């Protein structure tokens, strides 16, 4: 029988910088990812404020319901559209990082998580002294609206996802994706899937203060049943893959990788956040566990479904 060794927490080896535009605000934004101490978690730091700076931890308790994107808020400071970056951090196994922004929205880049994966790879990753913990789901918790629902239930395969979408547009239609979320799976099957929207809704969204930075360079744009992007789709089912990507980013607001099965039918950010609140508010629905792996196999950097676990004391 192989010995077990604990999996260490992980942060970046070096700082890394990028700049871009906020897809909803339309503002230019500079972002720097920096290494962070063990157990500090994922912290967004808004710089160039009148009071200097303010830190907003990326946690479900700081999430606010906003249309079209995932937003966190603390001390009167909001950071929007964090989901694509959060998904990349989840898949890369980054537990602790400080994210500095000089505006109130993460840059959209090309509308996917792929640029953020490249940033993390360029910065490098380093293991830290403390053990990595995860949240293991102990019973099914489900939230629903009349025509959509989402749930988390127990699983022994790390994080697994089954997600279904259904749109009237024939460019999308009904699509389903299922799989175990490992770093390799995320990189090859999900990371390049872009956000999307309908041309008919653009003017209305802009009047509401959204999509002011959106373009064919950072989103799939659909006109009735036609895709307007010159290069077409990156995957035949890119739309549902992007919804899976979004859900992974939302799930990381639990503050740790998840050992459980996520199911979503026509779900979105608001319903996902309701689910996190229902799960973490129920002490019988989840527990903290330490992540361990066989001593002869190098512990995965990402959220591998092969990781074993043991229960530890703690609270969210």
């Amino acid at each position: 029988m192989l010995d077990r060794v604990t999996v260490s927490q992980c942060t970046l080896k070096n700082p890394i910088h990028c700049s871009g535009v906020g897809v909803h605000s339309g503002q230019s934004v500079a972002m720097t990812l920096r290494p962070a101490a063990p157990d500090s978690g994922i912290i967004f730091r808004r710089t160039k404020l009148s009071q200097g700076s303010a830190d907003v931890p990326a946690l479900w308790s700081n999430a606010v319901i906003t249309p079209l994107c995932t937003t966190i808020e603390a001390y009167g400071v909001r950071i929007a559209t964090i989901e694509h970056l959060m998904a990349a951090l989840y898949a890369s196994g980054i537990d602790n990082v400080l994210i500095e922004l000089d505006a109130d929205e993460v840059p959209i880049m090309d509308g996917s998580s792929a640029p953020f994966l490249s940033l993390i790879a360029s910065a490098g990753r380093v293991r830290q002294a403390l053990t990595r913990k995860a949240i293991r789901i102990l019973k099914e918790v489900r939230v629903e609206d009349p025509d959509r629902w989402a749930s988390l239930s127990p699983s022994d395969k790390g994080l697994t996802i089954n997600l279904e979408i259904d749109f009237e547009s024939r460019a999308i239609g009904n699509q389903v994706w299922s799989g175990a979320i490992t770093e390799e799976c995320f990189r090859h099957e999900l990371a390049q899937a872009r956000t999307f929207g309908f041309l008919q809704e653009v003017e209305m969204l802009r009047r509401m203060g959204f999509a002011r930075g959106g373009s064919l360079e950072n989103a799939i744009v659909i006109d009735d049943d036609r895709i307007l992007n010159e290069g077409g789709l990156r995957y035949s089912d890119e739309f549902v893959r992007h919804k899976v990507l979004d859900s992974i980013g939302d799930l990381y607001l639990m503050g740790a990788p998840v050992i459980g099965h996520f199911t979503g039918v026509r779900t979105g950010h608001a319903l996902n956040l309701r689910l996190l609140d229902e799960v973490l508010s129920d002490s019988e629905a989840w527990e903290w566990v330490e992540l361990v792996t066989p001593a002869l196999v190098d512990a995965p950097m990402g959220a591998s479904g092969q990781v074993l676990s043991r229960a530890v004391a703690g609270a969210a």
Side-chain angles (χ1 to χ4, degrees), residues 159-182:
L159 175 61
T160 57
I161 289 180
N162 181 277
L163 196 143
E164 178 181 355
I165 62 172
D166 195 1
F167 286 80
E168 290 185 6
S169 168
R170 287 183 295 176
I172 305 177
N174 180 270
Q175 297 182 2
V176 179
W177 189 93
S178 298
I181 307 304
T182 65

Side-chain angles (χ1 to χ4, degrees), residues 16 72 81 93 100 104 112 114 123 141 160 167 169 199 203 213 237 248 254 270-271 284 295 299:
I16 192 75
I72 53 175
T81 319
E100 296 179 346
D104 58 4
S112 77
V141 177
T160 57
F167 286 80
S169 168
L199 182 65
E203 288 305 316
D237 57 351
I248 294 169
M254 297 180 85
L271 200 60
E284 297 182 354

Side-chain angles (χ1 to χ4, degrees), residues 1-305:
M1 182 175 180
L2 295 176
D3 292 336
R4 306 294 185 198
V5 294
T6 56
V7 177
S8 299
Q9 292 181 28
C10 184
T11 189
L12 299 181
K13 187 175 183 180
N14 300 293
I16 192 75
H17 175 83
C18 72
S19 59
V21 64
V23 68
H24 294 303
S25 66
Q27 295 179 333
S28 296
V29 54
M31 182 174 75
T32 302
L33 308 183
R34 299 187 183 279
D39 272 354
S40 58
I42 297 171
I43 305 292
F44 285 83
R45 174 171 291 171
R46 177 69 165 84
T47 63
K48 296 188 177 180
L49 296 170
S50 59
Q51 67 269 35
S53 64
D55 289 354
V56 185
L59 293 171
W60 65 284
S61 53
N62 290 330
V64 294
I65 303 298
T66 55
L68 305 177
C69 67
T70 300
T71 301
I72 53 175
E73 179 178 16
Y75 312 110
V77 173
R78 285 193 173 192
I79 307 292
T81 319
I82 67 171
E83 58 269 25
H84 305 165
L85 175 56
M86 290 292 290
L89 293 169
Y90 187 103
S92 299
I94 300 296
D95 301 284
N96 306 299
V97 63
L98 177 64
I99 303 161
E100 296 179 346
L101 296 159
D102 66 356
D104 58 4
E105 188 175 12
V106 172
I108 191 61
M109 310 305 279
D110 73 345
S112 77
S113 286
F116 299 127
L117 282 185
S118 296
L119 284 173
I120 294 166
S122 297
R125 300 176 290 190
V126 61
R127 298 191 187 279
Q128 298 177 286
L130 296 186
T131 299
R132 193 175 204 217
K133 292 192 291 185
I135 289 174
R136 177 160 55 194
I137 304 302
L138 301 177
K139 70 176 186 180
E140 182 178 12
V141 177
R142 174 168 165 152
V143 295
E144 56 187 67
D145 285 334
D147 61 345
R148 62 191 66 203
W149 60 274
S151 72
L152 273 168
S153 55
S155 171
D156 59 358
K157 298 179 180 179
L159 175 61
T160 57
I161 289 180
N162 181 277
L163 196 143
E164 178 181 355
I165 62 172
D166 195 1
F167 286 80
E168 290 185 6
S169 168
R170 287 183 295 176
I172 305 177
N174 180 270
Q175 297 182 2
V176 179
W177 189 93
S178 298
I181 307 304
T182 65
E183 182 174 5
E184 181 178 7
C185 166
F186 186 86
R187 184 175 303 279
H188 295 294
E189 298 190 32
L190 300 170
Q192 295 187 68
R194 295 161 294 175
T195 191
F196 60 92
F198 292 90
L199 182 65
Q200 297 90 331
E201 299 175 353
V202 169
E203 288 305 316
M204 177 189 68
L205 291 172
R206 287 178 175 169
R207 287 195 298 270
M208 296 171 59
F210 297 101
R212 292 175 175 174
S215 72
L216 291 169
E217 301 301 315
N218 55 40
I220 304 169
V221 180
I222 305 152
D223 183 9
D224 291 324
D225 297 327
R226 186 166 61 100
I227 294 168
L228 299 184
N229 302 69
E230 184 176 348
L233 299 178
R234 294 175 176 176
Y235 311 94
S236 62
D237 57 351
E238 188 168 355
F239 304 101
V240 70
R241 290 178 191 241
H242 185 79
K243 288 291 190 179
V244 173
L245 184 159
D246 278 349
S247 296
I248 294 169
D250 291 344
L251 288 169
Y252 210 14
L253 287 174
M254 297 180 85
V258 178
I259 301 173
H261 180 69
F262 174 81
T263 303
V265 175
R266 304 182 187 90
T267 189
H269 297 300
L271 200 60
N272 291 346
L273 295 176
R274 275 177 51 197
L275 177 62
L276 301 194
D277 185 61
E278 289 287 333
V279 170
L280 293 174
S281 298
D282 183 352
S283 61
E284 297 182 354
W286 64 280
E287 66 178 349
W288 282 114
V289 295
E290 287 185 346
L291 294 180
V292 299
T293 193
L296 298 181
V297 180
D298 187 43
M301 300 297 285
S304 171

